[in-house]
Amino acid sequence: MFKKILIANRGEIACRVIKTARRMGIATVAVYSDADARAPFVRMADEAVHIGPAPAAQSYLIADKIIAACKATGADAVHPGYGFLSERTSFAQALAEAGIAFVGPPVGAIAAMGDKIESKKLAMAAGVNVVPGFVGEIDSTEHAVQIASEIGYPVMMKASAGGGGKGMRLAHSEQDVREGFEAVKREGLNSFGDDRVFIEKFILNPRHIEIQILGDQHGNIVYLNERECSIQRRHQKVVEEAPSPFVTPDMRRAMGEQCVALSRAVGYYSAGTVELIVSGADPTGKSFYFLEMNTRLQVEHPVTEAITGIDLVEQMIRVAAGEPLAFTQADIGIDGWAIENRVYAEDPYRGFLPSTGRLVRYDPPVPGWEDDGAGNGRRGIDGVRVDDGVYEGGEVSMFYDPMIAKLITWGETRDEAADKQIAALDAFEIEGLGHNIDFVSAIMQHPRFRSGNLTTGFIAEEYPDGFHGAPASDELLQGLAAIAGFLATARADRARRVDGQLGDTLDPPGAWSVLIDKTRHAVVLAANSVTVDGVAVDLDMEYTPGDRIVHADLGGAPISVQVAPLRTGFRLTTRGASHRIDVLPQRVAALTTHMIEKIPPDLSRYLICPMPGLLVALHVGPGDAVEAGQPLAVVEAMKMENILRAEKAGRVKSVNAKAGESLAVDAIILEME
């Protein structure tokens, strides 16, 4: 067994590998950039080596620096995590030449399956179903337009070396191809050092289902069931679960055996994932096609660990050390259901724009997961597990992936796992930047999600006009009004106890006018009761002014509500939505009708940068006429390019920025006449 492993990665996956290595008695080495100098994974490792500036291209993506760190610390193996160098054949080959073990598959398998174009050729030769498309290199935009027309729209353009949702564009027309082809090439080059692109037919109503593979160096290969990863945004997975609500035992066996056969054909060992696209319109499950094989650990691996009890990181280390698998296919079962939500630094209320900055507050519902070696321990605390690599006061950088944490829940049934997600998300506190907690909570509550009728178009279909918070039932709004009245009474009670006030001590108000979602409610608190609009509400809670979260029993069911005081009330966040609630004594509320409404300034003449990022391209100049929907600028943030378009026709009056500049959020790029 290895004595010391270097983790060639950062963030939560570096923490994840360190924890398992520590349990196995293996020393660990972290490598870090300037941006990660104070990161938890650096403190957690036994040793840490600085490898360069914040941009990944100058630190985490330089193989020579990783190998030098191995030699300096005496590390005899490298775990690459996911992303960065994890699927780069040159890195695995360089490690082999340096006599350092690679905790991953053999170089030949990475080369064969890591390249989307070559892997499709191999899959076709092996008799595996593949999506119709052009398997080869594309010379130019005109060539791409020709190919797309021959295949038939819609088509998907993909960077050959891509992954993690990077370097992908869906094209419904020739115009989409012309606009997106060069962007795909640039994203592929910037993220993976490879600008090759291929095009394939886009399967309508598709489900994204993947098979977890695990093999050793002695020819043993098993599949550890499937994961459903259909809920995606911009081809980036948001929700993953295991098993899939669509897959039957016969489907699972057919998919698994085919994926094992494909893995065996390339001499695969270690952990890997074969991604399949499945037609949701075919209930037989026979219409599944090979997409690609990720020759590494997946972000979503914890859901597989939760239902199988198998530690995939441990198995990768043991396989790399030459040990055979200690189990066979017959030993692999399914125990319960697991769901993972990715908590991202993005603002769903502003079109999912990337959000960077300092984590002013970071308090997950349970402490970060620790590897105690117990199978049940992989399910966290009472079925709730958090995998993270951030800390309160730390910064989410523009240089890396926007994921803050992964929230994994396990239950005996799918509904139980989803209910645990909702409760845990309600108790997940993040302040200082935008995040998607409300959004993923809304998905967990969505009737279509609960039905299991999922496709990769779920988010676009269910939220065509953007996300505005999960809809709240009348019962929930009534309960929030009652809670707001309770909070206001507690705050008034504290205020009346302040020393040195003139006059007699008064009882706190008990009659409140509560405005929530444009509806006004009369809330009355008595000694042993709370009523909303004359209807009694069953509410049991405690609150001390200053508490950021309250845990209440509302109508016999537990609920967690995050509380942010406002000048005239509170912002209450729960069940996938944030509600501004104005609370005034009933005698004062009548006076609000005389208040003048403040009209916000008109900013429609300006093109405003929606997130911190790099201005990659500016397509217009002063005096240019533009049409509605025309691309005006491209801003890159967190390795993704965002096209900013004109909201209406007009003429450019002035330009305030130029390509290559780093822009702050809300910076004015140009002004229209």
Side-chain angles (χ1 to χ4, degrees):
M1 181 52 65
F2 306 118
K3 294 181 179 180
K4 187 181 292 186
I5 293 178
L6 182 144
I7 297 92
N9 218 296
R10 61 176 300 279
E12 66 87 15
I13 188 58
C15 294
R16 167 73 183 88
V17 176
I18 289 170
K19 290 172 182 178
T20 290
R22 177 190 295 161
R23 175 176 58 79
M24 297 174 68
I26 303 172
T28 56
V29 179
V31 291
Y32 65 94
S33 70
D34 290 344
D36 286 331
R38 297 180 179 86
F41 76 93
V42 177
R43 300 193 304 269
M44 190 180 298
D46 297 299
E47 300 175 68
V49 179
H50 177 252
I51 55 170
Q58 301 175 43
S59 52
Y60 295 106
L61 286 172
I62 299 181
D64 289 345
K65 290 187 176 182
I66 305 297
I67 294 173
C70 288
K71 293 178 178 178
T73 58
D76 50 354
V78 169
H79 195 301
Y82 49 74
F84 293 144
L85 298 171
S86 61
E87 296 179 282
R88 189 165 295 184
T89 54
S90 59
F91 178 58
Q93 185 64 49
L95 287 174
E97 292 172 358
I100 302 168
F102 180 66
V103 183
V107 174
I110 300 174
M113 305 308 294
D115 185 305
K116 289 187 175 70
I117 294 175
E118 293 304 316
S119 66
K120 281 184 174 295
K121 293 178 180 178
L122 284 167
M124 292 170 65
V128 178
N129 291 342
V130 297
V131 179
F134 180 81
V135 183
E137 293 189 36
I138 300 173
D139 302 329
S140 63
T141 299
E142 292 302 325
H143 190 196
V145 168
Q146 177 188 343
I147 291 168
S149 299
E150 292 173 355
I151 295 172
Y153 294 101
V155 298
M156 182 69 77
M157 298 178 288
K158 294 184 180 181
S160 179
K166 306 294 190 301
M168 300 175 70
R169 287 288 193 284
L170 177 61
H172 291 277
S173 64
E174 178 179 328
Q175 180 180 353
D176 290 344
V177 175
R178 293 187 181 279
E179 288 184 3
F181 180 73
E182 291 298 329
V184 173
K185 291 188 68 174
R186 284 195 301 271
E187 287 183 5
L189 185 62
N190 292 339
S191 295
F192 310 103
D194 187 339
D195 68 352
R196 290 177 301 156
V197 176
F198 71 98
I199 298 178
E200 64 186 11
K201 180 72 175 176
F202 182 72
I203 304 298
L204 297 175
N205 299 321
R207 299 182 79 114
H208 186 125
I209 296 174
E210 58 189 31
I211 300 293
Q212 176 67 60
I213 294 296
L214 183 63
D216 61 26
Q217 299 187 48
H218 306 277
N220 303 305
I221 305 177
V222 298
Y223 62 91
L224 277 65
N225 308 309
E226 79 285 348
R227 294 185 290 257
E228 173 88 52
C229 305
S230 295
I231 297 183
Q232 306 175 4
R233 193 188 66 77
R234 290 185 67 175
H235 316 297
Q236 180 82 44
K237 299 167 188 173
V238 178
V239 181
E240 300 104 348
E241 59 182 308
S244 164
F246 184 72
V247 173
T248 65
D250 287 343
M251 291 165 59
R252 181 175 299 117
R253 186 180 309 109
M255 292 176 177
E257 290 177 354
Q258 187 174 108
C259 294
V260 166
L262 182 62
S263 303
R264 197 178 300 282
V266 294
Y268 198 88
Y269 58 77
S270 191
T273 296
V274 179
E275 300 198 0
L276 306 170
I277 189 167
V278 182
S279 172
D282 183 0
T284 67
K286 294 180 179 179
S287 301
F288 64 88
Y289 306 94
F290 170 78
L291 275 180
E292 61 181 329
M293 184 173 189
N294 292 316
T295 57
R296 53 170 169 79
L297 191 67
Q298 293 280 90
V299 175
E300 57 271 24
H301 73 273
V303 293
T304 296
E305 295 182 333
I307 66 166
T308 63
I310 294 174
D311 186 325
L312 286 169
V313 173
E314 176 185 349
Q315 292 303 317
M316 291 180 73
I317 294 172
R318 294 192 179 282
V319 167
E323 295 185 13
L325 296 180
F327 43 83
T328 65
Q329 190 65 57
D331 299 319
I332 308 300
I334 298 177
D335 183 10
W337 212 286
I339 299 175
E340 174 180 295
N341 275 305
R342 301 189 187 189
V343 179
Y344 281 131
E346 62 184 12
D347 191 346
Y349 294 100
R350 299 182 64 201
F352 298 94
L353 294 175
S355 180
T356 59
R358 191 165 303 283
L359 283 166
V360 176
R361 190 171 309 286
Y362 177 75
D363 189 7
V366 296
W369 174 77
E370 291 292 339
D371 189 351
D372 61 1
N376 290 333
R378 295 182 190 109
R379 297 171 182 166
I381 300 171
D382 297 327
V384 180
R385 169 177 167 178
V386 173
D387 282 21
D388 59 16
V390 299
Y391 65 100
E392 188 169 283
E395 190 168 336
V396 176
S397 169
M398 65 178 288
F399 296 104
Y400 311 120
D401 189 89
M403 190 168 66
I404 299 172
K406 302 186 303 196
L407 177 66
I408 304 100
T409 55
W410 177 90
E412 295 286 351
T413 65
R414 185 170 185 263
D415 281 341
E416 182 183 346
D419 288 342
K420 287 184 177 181
Q421 279 283 342
I422 296 167
L425 289 164
D426 281 348
F428 208 134
E429 295 184 73
I430 296 177
E431 294 179 15
L433 43 71
H435 56 77
N436 68 336
I437 285 177
D438 284 355
F439 179 63
V440 291
S441 177
I443 292 175
M444 295 295 98
Q445 301 170 63
H446 201 290
R448 180 175 165 188
F449 173 80
R450 290 301 183 118
S451 73
N453 180 25
L454 311 178
T455 70
T456 56
F458 178 94
I459 291 176
E461 293 160 8
E462 298 302 325
Y463 302 97
D465 300 319
F467 178 71
H468 307 289
S473 65
D474 291 340
E475 292 78 13
L476 178 59
L477 293 176
Q478 182 187 55
L480 291 178
I483 290 172
F486 189 101
L487 300 177
T489 298
R491 193 159 67 169
D493 184 56
R494 183 182 67 168
R496 77 186 179 96
R497 298 174 188 274
V498 175
D499 193 27
Q501 299 187 76
L502 297 176
D504 297 330
T505 302
L506 302 175
D507 291 333
W512 301 94
S513 176
V514 177
L515 181 65
I516 176 172
D517 289 359
K518 299 182 179 180
T519 301
R520 194 170 292 279
H521 302 275
V523 179
V524 178
L525 278 76
N528 297 305
S529 67
V530 182
T531 62
V532 177
D533 299 327
V535 179
V537 175
D538 182 10
L539 176 65
D540 182 11
M541 64 175 286
E542 293 183 0
Y543 171 72
T544 301
D547 288 349
R548 298 189 305 272
I549 189 166
V550 295
H551 304 285
D553 191 282
L554 182 61
I559 186 172
S560 297
V561 182
Q562 296 188 34
V563 180
L566 302 174
R567 186 173 182 180
T568 58
F570 307 91
R571 183 171 297 281
L572 302 184
T573 303
T574 189
R575 295 297 190 264
S578 183
H579 304 269
R580 180 191 172 92
I581 303 180
D582 291 317
V583 187
L584 295 171
Q586 288 186 3
R587 61 183 174 80
V588 176
L591 303 176
T592 60
T593 57
H594 302 289
M595 299 296 290
I596 299 174
E597 183 178 356
K598 185 177 180 180
I599 300 174
D602 180 14
L603 300 176
S604 62
R605 294 186 295 114
Y606 300 99
L607 179 66
I608 297 174
C609 187
M611 82 289 281
L614 179 69
L615 184 59
V616 176
L618 188 61
H619 300 305
V620 294
D624 289 351
V626 300
E627 298 296 329
Q630 178 180 335
L632 301 179
V634 178
V635 176
E636 180 186 298
M638 292 182 170
K639 300 186 291 185
M640 297 291 285
E641 291 191 356
N642 303 272
I643 300 174
L644 308 184
R645 301 176 184 273
E647 294 185 359
K648 58 184 179 181
R651 188 175 298 277
V652 178
K653 178 180 180 181
S654 63
V655 175
N656 294 22
K658 59 183 179 181
E661 286 187 3
S662 293
L663 302 178
V665 64
D666 293 334
I668 295 176
I669 299 174
L670 58 83
E671 180 182 355
M672 305 292 290
E673 292 181 352

